[in-house]
Amino acid sequence: MSRNVLFADLYQMTMLRAYFELGMAEEAAFSLFVRKLPPRRNFLIACGLADLLKEIESLRFDDDQLRYLRSLGDFPDSFLEWLRAFRFTGDIHALPEGTPFFANEPILEVVAPIAQAQLIETLVLNQIGLQTILASKAARIVTAARGRPVADFGARRAQGIDAATKGARAFYIGGVAATSNLAAGKAYGIPVSGTMAHSFVEACASEAEAFDAFARIFPQTVLLVDTYDTLAGVAKVIALSRSLGPRFKVRAVRLDSGDLDQLARESRRMLDDAGLTNVQIVASGGLDEDQIDRLTACNAPIDLFGVGTDLAVSSDAPALDIAYKLVEYAGVGRMKLSTGKSSLPGRKQIFRNYRGQEAVYDVIGRHDESLAASPLLSSVMLSGRRSDDKADDLDSMRSYAKGAIEALPLDYRSLAPPAAPYEVKISSKLAEYRQSVLGRLRPASKDGE
């Protein structure tokens, strides 16, 4: 049984009862899309699909969940028995994880009996929304690092265990090299990395003794040098190298506070003068993409960045204006007309157009169109069963994301906003269909008004 089958808003369950009692069981299509990009995002990275599909495939109601629904007083036994037999039997089409996308483009489309498609609404929004936010943030930070590795140090600041663990997955797809989160490492096979905390240094009789003890237990460790005085800490690492001689295998020192540019340059000079040219410098301490960009732009001698809070919660853009809307029911196009929240009717496809190897614009068309461009949505679930045999291959997703981002024009890959948004057009066939649905929803009055 699925523990997440009740991860739904109450209105979904009341609508399910209404569909049940009204005999509304025709096939529906729902589209998931982001209405507008957050500030400081030139594109978003689709993420979270594999985790979502696993959840959908396993959705079942058990006796305890049905008892809870009965206790609410709104759901008769006949409806609850109908829920007992619930299985998702629909199809899902989606962007491959790691695909850059833009406002109003469908990330995912669900085609299923309307009650099935409605029940998963909150789950879809939550699972795709979270990882898409975090993968997109990771891509910016990786861009700022200019080829230097980035490690995820954010689990303790993430908003819950699920966000921390699935966030690490999204970060890895977005280009982050490793995580400090062991749960994520085990769950997804992500490389893990870590150093030491100030508390170990403080607990020992002296900083020098802390370094000596830790390096003997973990010879290839990274030593945290800023507990008391950063450059004095670096000097103690140099002294340790002399005392240990050939047994000294320390990989790096970590700077966690202060003027990281100045401290990295002075630390590099000290280490090089001592012959420790192979000892790297790791920087952390409240970093974001803007700080990392400044450090790499001036070529600060930092070999790896550890990023925590800003990455873990996507501090500058922690939420998406993401929507899951009915676009077709019983073979008829449906759309929302609310001001500022209108939607496109019918099932759709995204076609990416290239000039050479560079993506130049997208076209949103109808799902059965065939345009001279690369279609992006593909089938990932058929009749309720996952159909993508590479859905768990994070390294392939990571490599795909890197290539897909690099195919975007330079203006959109940079941290700065582009001169104009990436162009997303609507095909003539979809535009005509939209007009026909509008005509049905807003028929002209007799006097022509």
Side-chain angles (χ1 to χ4, degrees):
M1 298 297 178
S2 169
R3 64 185 176 90
N4 288 326
V5 72
L6 288 184
F7 188 73
D9 291 289
L10 177 60
Y11 76 75
Q12 289 161 250
M13 201 60 63
T14 57
M15 284 192 291
L16 257 65
R17 178 185 170 185
Y19 293 145
F20 169 70
E21 295 192 5
L22 295 171
M24 296 176 66
E26 297 291 334
E27 186 175 84
F30 282 76
S31 282
L32 181 73
F33 57 95
V34 174
R35 291 190 179 101
K36 59 180 182 295
L37 300 186
R40 289 166 50 85
R41 296 292 181 273
N42 301 339
F43 60 87
L44 294 172
I45 295 293
C47 199
L49 179 64
D51 284 339
L52 172 66
L53 295 180
K54 289 177 186 176
E55 291 285 353
I56 291 174
E57 198 174 49
S58 67
L59 288 179
R60 307 285 189 277
F61 286 90
D62 64 23
D63 289 341
D64 184 58
Q65 292 159 340
L66 293 173
R67 275 194 298 270
Y68 170 71
L69 290 175
R70 183 178 291 110
S71 75
L72 299 179
D74 288 325
F75 305 110
D77 287 347
S78 57
F79 172 67
L80 296 176
E81 285 305 308
W82 180 70
L83 286 182
R84 188 185 298 279
F86 178 90
R87 303 290 186 273
F88 183 84
T89 62
D91 301 341
I92 297 179
H93 308 269
L95 296 177
E97 293 198 67
T99 302
F101 70 94
F102 303 90
N104 294 308
E105 295 187 323
I107 313 166
L108 170 151
E109 294 205 323
V110 175
V111 182
I114 192 166
Q116 295 181 24
Q118 193 82 68
L119 179 64
I120 64 175
E121 176 181 358
T122 297
L123 185 64
V124 169
L125 287 162
N126 177 274
Q127 294 296 291
I128 299 296
L130 171 70
Q131 291 198 41
T132 294
I133 289 167
L134 298 180
S136 305
K137 177 67 171 183
R140 282 178 61 83
I141 290 174
V142 168
T143 294
R146 290 180 169 86
R148 296 164 176 82
V150 175
D152 158 35
F153 287 178
R156 63 190 61 194
R157 302 291 175 83
Q159 294 169 335
I161 293 173
D162 193 56
T165 304
K166 292 182 177 177
R169 176 186 186 277
F171 302 148
Y172 189 67
I173 292 171
V176 168
T179 181
S180 64
N181 182 348
L182 291 174
K186 179 179 182 299
Y188 298 113
I190 301 168
V192 294
S193 68
T195 58
M196 64 192 305
H198 295 103
S199 54
F200 182 81
V201 176
E202 294 170 21
C204 292
S206 70
E207 188 174 47
E209 289 184 26
F211 290 171
D212 180 75
F214 211 77
R216 289 177 188 275
I217 298 168
F218 302 103
Q220 296 188 32
T221 191
V222 176
L223 295 175
L224 180 59
V225 295
D226 80 320
T227 303
Y228 304 119
D229 178 279
T230 299
L231 297 180
V234 174
K236 290 183 179 69
V237 173
I238 292 169
L240 178 65
S241 74
R242 291 169 179 158
S243 67
L244 291 180
R247 292 175 297 158
F248 181 83
K249 306 291 184 183
V250 171
R251 290 188 296 112
V253 296
R254 176 179 156 209
L255 317 177
D256 194 52
S257 59
D259 184 333
L260 294 176
D261 181 22
Q262 178 185 348
L263 290 171
R265 293 182 190 280
E266 187 60 23
S267 298
R268 183 75 272 156
R269 184 194 64 77
M270 293 170 66
L271 292 167
D272 290 351
D273 288 350
L276 300 178
T277 56
N278 60 323
V279 175
Q280 295 187 324
I281 295 175
V282 176
S284 59
L287 292 172
D288 62 19
E289 64 262 48
D290 297 319
Q291 293 167 291
I292 292 172
D293 185 55
R294 287 192 291 270
L295 288 166
T296 57
C298 69
N299 204 29
I302 295 170
D303 301 287
L304 182 147
F305 294 97
V307 188
T309 305
D310 190 68
L311 177 62
V313 302
S314 185
S315 297
D316 63 325
L320 292 177
D321 185 4
I322 189 169
Y324 178 81
K325 296 302 175 185
L326 179 70
V327 295
E328 185 176 289
Y329 178 62
V332 179
R334 315 285 169 152
M335 61 189 297
K336 184 175 178 178
L337 302 180
S338 307
T339 302
K341 294 185 176 182
S342 63
S343 56
L344 292 169
R347 294 173 54 193
K348 291 170 284 296
Q349 177 61 273
I350 306 170
F351 298 92
R352 184 149 292 169
N353 291 262
Y354 293 86
R355 183 181 299 115
Q357 300 299 311
E358 183 176 86
V360 289
Y361 67 92
D362 291 355
V363 177
I364 304 174
R366 301 206 66 190
H367 75 101
D368 55 357
E369 284 196 66
S370 180
L371 302 181
S374 300
L376 299 184
L377 292 165
S378 61
S379 173
V380 294
M381 179 170 274
L382 291 172
S383 302
R385 305 296 295 178
R386 285 173 285 167
S387 56
D388 184 355
D389 58 3
K390 294 184 178 179
D392 296 317
D393 187 348
L394 288 195
D395 287 323
S396 291
M397 294 178 200
R398 174 185 169 87
S399 177
Y400 167 75
K402 183 176 185 292
I405 293 169
E406 288 175 350
L408 296 177
L410 182 59
D411 278 359
Y412 303 94
R413 288 183 274 134
S414 68
L415 298 185
Y422 182 87
E423 186 174 14
V424 178
K425 305 177 182 180
I426 297 174
S427 74
S428 58
K429 190 173 180 180
L430 179 56
E432 290 170 5
Y433 185 61
R434 180 178 184 273
Q435 284 303 118
S436 72
V437 174
L438 276 172
R440 189 183 80 247
L441 296 175
R442 288 180 173 172
S445 63
K446 291 181 180 180
D447 60 7
E449 291 182 356

